[in-house]
Amino acid sequence: MLPADCSRRLVAELRDALDACAERQRQLERSLRVSRRLLRTWEPAETPAPQPTPAPETSGEAPSPESTPSSQDLKELELLTQALEKAVRVRKGISKTGERHKALSLKSGSAATSATTASAPSRPSGQASCGVSETKPPRGIQQTVVPARGLPESRLLSVGDRTCMGRGSRATKPGPGPRDQQIPPSAALQAPEAFTLKEKGILLRLPMAYRKAASRNSRLWAQLSSAQTSDSMDAAATAKTQFLQKMQMTSGGPGSGLSAAAVEAEVGLLRTACLLLRRRMEEVLSADPADCMQEYRCLLTLEGLQAITEQCLHRLQELRAAVVGQQLGPWPVGRRPGASLPCGGGTDPLWSPQLLLYSSTQELQTLEALRLRLAMLDQQIHLEKVLMSDLLPLVGTQGPHWLARCRAVHSLLCEGGERFLTVLRDEPAD
Amino acid sequence: MGRRRRRVDRGAAVGALPEAIAALSRTLPAGPSPEIFRRAKFDRPEAAPALWQLLFRVLSPPSADSASASPAQEAQVRAVKSELRSQGYPRRALAQLPEDGSQGSRELLLALAWLLARGPLLERLLAQTRVRLGDEIPLCECEALARPGPPVPRVEADGPVDIRHLQWLMGKLRFQWRKLITSQQEQCALLGKIHSYTRGCHSDRSLGHLSVAETELLRDAEGGQQLLRRLESENVRLEAALRWRRQELVFWRWMDTVLGTCPPEASQPTFVPRIPEQGAGEWELVARELQALQEELRGAAEPRRAAWEARVGGWGPEWSAVQRASREAVGLELAALQRAWERGGAAARPHGPCRLVKSDAGASGGPGLRAAQVIEVLRSREACLEAVLCQLQRQCRQELARLAGALPGLIWILPPGR
C-alpha cells in the first residue's frame, strides 16, 4: 500500500488525465454524431432544396428551378419550413400511437394500405400538391412524406405520380421557393430516392442570406485584423499609453510594472527556454565532430549555452525577488499548473483562422493522429515526472513486499505500465 | 485623408463621444448602455452593478460563461477584484470597494479603460465567441491548456491505495487514448467524404466545398436559422468594433477627465510580502531544471575546453581568423535560439485554429498552410517529446537499478525491448 498523501496525489493526477481524455472523447462523439447524420439519408422533411443551379439532374425528374430565390421566396420558404415542422410533429405523434398502415389510413383518408394500387394514395397527394394553396400543404406534405419512409410505398407513389401529373402542372403551382420541390410531384419523384449527400451533395447551394452574412463576416474580420496604421490609430495608441502612465502615477507611486500574470508568463517562457537549450545541448553532444573546426564549434556552442542558461537563472532570481518584494496579489487561478505555453500566446495572433489544405483523407488522418499523439506525449511526460517524484522515494525504503513494489514501480515508470520485468532469486545450487 | 479626419474629430467632438461609447458598448458582450458610462463618471451608485457584471464577463475565462449561471453578486465582485489584482491593476481603491457591488462605478470605469488600454481586449473577446463556420483544427494546444475543463465532481479516494490501482488507472488511460485515436480517424474519414461530396458547392472559390457546419445548415433549417442569427449579430459587433477603432481617441480624452475627477491616492502603505504558493511550485520546478542543465553544460564544456586548449596551445595566428569566424557563426545560431522563446516562437510555428479545406491541386500559389508541411513540423516535435520521455524513463531505470543492486542474490530480467 502506498502512503495516504502520495496515493491521493497520484490518483488525482491520473484522474485528471482521464478526465481530460474523456472530455476530448465527448467532443469527438458530438462531431461524429453530426457527421454521421449528414452522411446518412436525410429525413425528407429536412431535405434541402437544391438551389437554382445549372447542373442538370440526370434522371430529368426535377424541373429546372424557376429563379434564384428572392426575398419573397425566402419568406415562403420560412412558412413552408414551419408547415413541414408541424407535419413532422404530427407524423411523430401519430406514428407513436399506431402502426404505420394505420397512420396511412388516418391521414390519407381514402388511401388504402400499402397493398392497394398505386393510384389510390397518389391521387390525394397529387390533388393536394397540384394547384395547392397555402392552407393545403400540411395535408399534402403528410401524404408525400410518409411514403418516403418505406420503399414499397414510395415506389407506388412514384408510379402514381407519373401517371397523375404532367410537367405542366408544376408551372401552375404557386410560387413557394425551391424548397417546395420535393413536396409536389417532382419532389415526390425525388422523395422516394431520399436525399443522400453522396449522390446529390454536389447540387447543394448555400442560401443567399447565409452567403452574404458569411462574406461580410470574413471581410470584417480581415479589416479588424489589418487595421493597424492610420493617423487616428497612432493618436489613440499614444493616448492609451499616456492614460496608463497616469493611472500608474495616481495610484501612489510607481510600481514595478510586474504583475503576477506577467511573472507567470515569464516563468513559462524560461521553462520553454530550458527545454530548447537542453535539446540543443543533446544535439551537440550526440554529434560526432568530424574535424577540428567542428569540435571547436561544439565547444563554443556548449559554452554559449552555458552562458544563456546562467542568464535565464539570473532572470529567474530577479522574478523571484519581484514576487517577494511586491504585493503582487493572488496568482491567476484557473490555469492548469505545469502546463507550458510554448506558443507564447499573443504576439500578433490571428483572429480568424487561416486555411489548411489537405489533399487526401490519409493526410488528414495522419495530421490528426500526430496531433493526438503530441497531446498524449505531453500528458505522459507530465505523469512521468509526477510519478517519479512520488514513487522513487518509496522504492528506496525497504519494507514488506519490497520486491513486488519495486517491480510495479519499474513497470510504471520505465515501461509506461505496459511491460513487467521478471525477478529471479539466484539460489546457489548446492 | 488623415487631416480631414482630424478636423472632423475636433469639430464633432461633442457628438463623437456618445457615438464612441455606443460603439464600445455594442462591441462588448453584455455591454451597458452609454448612460451607465456617463453616470459612472460621476460615481453614481446605480451604475455600479452593470459595470461589475461587465467586468466579470470580460475577465472570466471563456468556457465559464456557457457552463453555469452567473454566480452571486459577491462572488462576482470577489472574482473581478482578484483577477484585476493578479493582472497588476495599480489602483488600490478597487480592492476597497464593498462586496455587495453597490458602489464604485467610477473606479470600475477606470478599470475597464485600463484593460482596454493594455491590450487588444475587444478583439480577444470577439475571437473567443467567434462563430465557427468551417471545420477547424487547432494547430497548437495553447487554447486547450488555457481553458480549464469543466469541474468534475471528484469522489475522493478514501485512504491509501495499492499500487495496482495506479497500474489499473494507467491501463485505463492507455485504452482511452486508443479509443480516442480510432474515433478521430473515423471523424477524419467522414470529414473527407463530406468535403468531397460537396465539392464545388461553396460560393467562395478558395474554399471549394462545404464544411460540416454549412452542410448541417442546409440539412436542418431551424439550426441554420440560428447560425445565421449568430452570424449576423457577430457582424453587428464587428462593425461596432471597427467604428470604435475610428472614434476611440475621443473616449481616451474623456477618460483623462474622469481620472482627473478622482482624488489622488495616498502613497503606498507598508505591506507584508508574501509568496503565493501556487506560483512558487512552478518557479521551483523551473529553477531546478535550469540548475540541472547548467551543471550538465558545465560538465560537458569544461573538459572539452581544457582538451582544446591543450591541443591548440601552440597553433599559429592563421587559426585565429578561422576561430573568429566560428565564434560569429555560433553567436548567430545561439541568438536565433534565444529569439525562439523570447518571442514566444509564434512566428516559427503555426499557431491558432485553421480551417480545413480539401484541395487536390495543392497549388504552391494560394494562401494557407499545406498539410504536408504541418505534418513535418508535428513529426519533429513528436521526435522531440519522445526523446524527452525516453530520457526520463532512462533516468528511472538507472535509479531503480541502483536501488535494486543493493540487494544481492537477485537476477533482474528486463522485459524484451520494443
Side-chain angles (χ1 to χ4, degrees):
Chain A
M1 297 298 255
L2 301 170
D5 59 341
C6 174
S7 318
R8 214 175 311 131
R9 256 200 310 273
L10 295 180
V11 169
E13 283 281 351
L14 283 166
R15 290 244 170 89
D16 264 337
L18 280 166
D19 288 339
C21 209
E23 174 63 28
R24 278 183 199 256
Q25 182 77 26
R26 261 195 301 270
Q27 290 175 351
L28 203 49
E29 297 276 333
R30 258 200 304 258
S31 319
L32 272 174
R33 259 200 306 271
V34 173
S35 308
R36 282 189 196 126
R37 194 172 50 193
L38 283 177
L39 283 169
R40 278 200 296 262
T41 308
W42 292 15
E43 289 292 293
E46 300 158 327
T47 313
Q51 292 276 333
T53 132
E57 286 244 28
T58 50
S59 57
E61 298 168 335
S64 47
E66 291 105 344
S67 60
T68 48
S70 58
S71 64
Q72 158 84 348
D73 289 348
L74 285 172
K75 253 183 265 150
E76 282 159 330
L77 184 53
E78 181 79 281
L79 282 166
L80 195 58
T81 315
Q82 287 165 3
L84 281 170
E85 280 158 19
K86 178 169 181 209
V88 171
R89 274 199 304 273
V90 174
R91 170 166 68 132
K92 283 204 181 114
I94 290 180
S95 61
K96 259 187 268 187
T97 55
E99 300 104 69
R100 218 190 286 160
H101 53 266
K102 224 197 273 175
L104 259 181
S105 60
L106 264 173
K107 276 187 271 181
S108 54
S110 63
T113 60
S114 48
T116 57
T117 59
S119 48
S122 58
R123 220 182 293 121
S125 72
Q127 273 170 5
S129 328
C130 262
V132 66
S133 67
E134 289 296 31
T135 52
K136 281 280 196 157
R139 195 143 177 275
I141 291 160
Q142 288 174 10
Q143 305 283 18
T144 51
V145 153
V146 168
R149 260 221 234 136
L151 217 37
E153 291 106 330
S154 48
R155 240 184 270 129
L156 294 171
L157 192 60
S158 61
V159 167
D161 275 324
R162 236 174 261 132
T163 58
C164 182
M165 315 302 149
R167 298 268 165 115
S169 62
R170 253 173 275 118
T172 64
K173 75 179 189 299
R179 205 17 139 111
D180 202 26
Q181 280 168 326
Q182 58 241 46
I183 317 307
S186 54
L189 290 169
Q190 274 180 12
E193 298 172 21
F195 186 89
T196 52
L197 206 55
K198 183 167 184 179
E199 296 154 14
K200 310 262 179 57
I202 293 206
L203 303 167
L204 291 175
R205 286 294 179 271
L206 294 166
M208 182 56 94
Y210 171 83
R211 268 191 270 170
K212 287 204 185 122
S215 69
R216 212 165 122 228
N217 188 273
S218 55
R219 212 177 350 109
L220 288 170
W221 272 113
Q223 274 184 293
L224 204 63
S225 318
S226 74
Q228 293 306 329
T229 51
S230 70
D231 293 341
S232 56
M233 286 291 298
D234 294 338
T238 14
K240 281 193 260 196
T241 24
Q242 280 177 355
F243 177 74
L244 286 175
Q245 283 168 353
K246 274 198 217 168
M247 284 278 277
Q248 194 71 44
M249 290 201 308
T250 63
S251 72
S256 72
L258 273 179
S259 67
V263 169
E264 193 206 23
E266 264 213 72
V267 169
L269 281 182
L270 288 174
R271 189 165 208 197
T272 315
C274 189
L275 271 164
L276 291 174
L277 289 168
R278 179 171 281 279
R279 208 192 300 174
R280 180 59 70 87
M281 175 185 78
E282 284 172 3
E283 276 172 26
V284 170
L285 288 178
S286 61
D288 262 331
D291 63 18
C292 256
M293 273 307 105
Q294 284 197 4
E295 246 187 78
Y296 188 57
R297 287 186 100 169
C298 283
L299 173 62
L300 287 179
T301 313
L302 287 174
E303 291 182 334
L305 290 174
Q306 197 184 343
I308 299 179
T309 312
E310 280 171 13
Q311 278 177 21
C312 290
L313 269 172
H314 185 69
R315 179 72 189 144
L316 203 58
Q317 305 288 354
E318 280 181 0
L319 290 175
R320 172 88 163 174
V323 166
V324 171
Q326 310 273 332
Q327 201 174 25
L328 279 181
W331 221 250
V333 292
R335 262 171 269 257
R336 245 203 0 230
S340 61
L341 291 171
C343 292
T347 49
D348 192 20
L350 299 166
W351 301 118
S352 50
Q354 37 171 199
L355 301 180
L356 178 57
L357 305 172
Y358 72 98
S359 53
S360 68
T361 307
Q362 267 96 323
E363 219 180 14
L364 184 59
Q365 281 174 331
T366 317
L367 184 60
E368 288 280 16
L370 270 176
R371 230 173 39 85
L372 277 184
R373 180 137 172 83
L374 285 182
M376 188 173 78
L377 281 171
D378 257 329
Q379 196 186 68
Q380 268 184 294
I381 292 178
H382 172 74
L383 283 174
E384 183 80 18
K385 289 188 182 152
V386 167
L387 285 171
M388 267 170 78
S389 67
D390 266 324
L391 289 178
L392 279 179
L394 290 180
V395 178
T397 60
Q398 304 257 351
H401 313 292
W402 178 80
L403 267 184
R405 209 188 310 159
C406 203
R407 187 164 166 264
V409 169
H410 178 98
S411 114
L412 264 181
L413 289 180
C414 308
E415 308 288 337
E418 294 179 34
R419 282 173 291 273
F420 288 81
L421 48 65
T422 325
V423 187
L424 285 185
R425 205 173 283 279
D426 188 13
E427 301 285 340
D430 34 28
Chain B
M1 179 73 148
R3 237 176 280 136
R4 191 162 13 118
R5 217 179 288 147
R6 270 194 228 115
R7 242 185 280 138
V8 166
D9 271 349
R10 238 180 279 133
V14 175
L17 179 62
E19 271 179 39
I21 294 188
L24 177 63
S25 86
R26 219 4 104 89
T27 316
L28 289 167
S33 69
E35 184 58 25
I36 301 268
F37 283 83
R38 196 181 69 82
R39 297 225 176 115
K41 171 171 179 175
F42 302 108
D43 207 13
R44 304 301 305 262
E46 62 262 21
L51 286 173
W52 279 117
Q53 268 195 340
L54 172 66
L55 281 174
F56 179 72
R57 188 67 203 278
V58 162
L59 290 170
S60 46
S63 68
D65 312 357
S66 45
S68 51
S70 52
Q73 184 74 24
E74 290 89 28
Q76 285 190 11
V77 169
R78 270 198 298 273
V80 169
K81 282 191 193 178
S82 140
E83 182 62 27
L84 278 174
R85 211 69 228 285
S86 79
Q87 291 204 21
Y89 186 66
R91 292 172 59 90
R92 281 185 316 284
L94 183 79
Q96 292 157 3
L97 290 174
E99 293 208 341
D100 60 2
S102 59
Q103 288 184 31
S105 51
R106 186 168 55 201
E107 194 60 37
L108 294 174
L109 182 59
L110 288 173
L112 179 65
W114 185 79
L115 286 170
L116 277 171
R118 282 194 359 137
L121 178 70
L122 295 176
E123 287 86 345
R124 192 166 50 82
L125 290 172
L126 284 168
Q128 273 170 10
T129 52
R130 189 170 47 87
V131 174
R132 282 146 219 271
L133 298 173
D135 300 312
E136 293 190 359
I137 170 175
L139 281 186
C140 52
E141 297 286 308
C142 34
E143 261 191 40
L145 288 177
R147 197 173 311 150
V152 179
R154 182 75 47 76
V155 175
E156 278 301 326
D158 41 356
V161 299
D162 194 43
I163 199 168
R164 277 173 291 189
H165 186 69
L166 294 180
Q167 290 173 330
W168 177 71
L169 286 173
M170 281 286 263
K172 201 166 157 196
L173 187 61
R174 262 207 324 279
F175 181 67
Q176 290 253 44
W177 274 109
R178 253 188 295 171
K179 208 166 60 160
L180 194 58
I181 292 183
T182 27
S183 305
Q184 181 67 273
Q185 302 289 75
E186 185 190 346
Q187 168 71 350
C188 291
L190 296 182
L191 264 187
K193 279 198 191 141
I194 293 180
H195 290 177
S196 16
Y197 294 164
T198 57
R199 233 184 352 254
C201 298
H202 209 286
S203 45
D204 181 349
R205 285 293 144 216
S206 66
L207 294 174
H209 59 72
L210 302 179
S211 69
V212 167
E214 289 161 342
T215 321
E216 183 72 8
L217 149 84
L218 287 170
R219 183 192 74 92
D220 173 23
E222 173 67 37
Q225 289 298 322
Q226 273 183 10
L227 183 66
L228 194 55
R229 276 194 290 271
R230 278 172 55 210
L231 198 55
E232 282 172 351
S233 70
E234 179 172 296
N235 285 351
V236 164
R237 280 178 72 192
L238 285 171
E239 282 174 345
L242 286 169
R243 260 201 320 276
W244 158 257
R245 275 255 190 96
R246 288 193 293 269
Q247 298 173 324
E248 63 177 316
L249 191 55
V250 179
F251 176 79
W252 293 113
R253 291 207 193 109
W254 180 67
M255 282 312 297
D256 277 340
T257 65
V258 173
L259 195 53
T261 66
C262 283
E265 296 193 328
S267 54
Q268 290 192 348
T270 53
F271 55 82
V272 179
R274 57 189 166 86
I275 307 164
E277 318 80 45
Q278 288 149 288
E282 170 87 3
W283 189 92
E284 289 293 337
L285 216 60
V286 180
R288 229 182 305 146
E289 285 183 12
L290 278 175
Q291 273 161 352
L293 184 62
Q294 193 190 29
E295 286 303 318
E296 284 180 52
L297 280 168
R298 193 180 315 161
E302 275 177 2
R304 283 179 195 224
R305 172 55 78 173
W308 180 260
E309 292 297 321
R311 255 166 78 179
V312 172
W315 291 3
E318 67 268 11
W319 284 108
S320 65
V322 184
Q323 281 183 336
R324 206 182 13 242
S326 301
R327 265 200 297 273
E328 281 170 12
V330 169
L332 286 176
E333 273 176 31
L334 292 177
L337 183 64
Q338 246 180 318
R339 271 197 301 274
W341 74 75
E342 274 169 11
R343 225 185 11 188
R349 283 212 309 179
H351 177 76
C354 286
R355 178 170 176 158
L356 285 171
V357 170
K358 184 162 188 175
S359 129
D360 302 316
S364 48
L369 303 165
R370 301 285 179 274
Q373 293 171 317
V374 177
I375 288 179
E376 278 201 34
V377 172
L378 291 182
R379 280 234 166 87
S380 70
R381 182 145 172 78
E382 180 197 20
C384 205
L385 288 180
E386 274 179 351
V388 171
L389 187 61
C390 275
Q391 197 248 349
L392 285 174
Q393 288 181 338
R394 212 180 322 140
Q395 244 179 292
C396 289
R397 219 171 272 134
Q398 286 169 354
E399 183 65 20
L400 281 171
R402 190 181 64 81
L403 290 168
L407 232 64
L410 291 170
I411 303 178
W412 301 80
I413 304 177
L414 294 175
R418 220 159 299 186

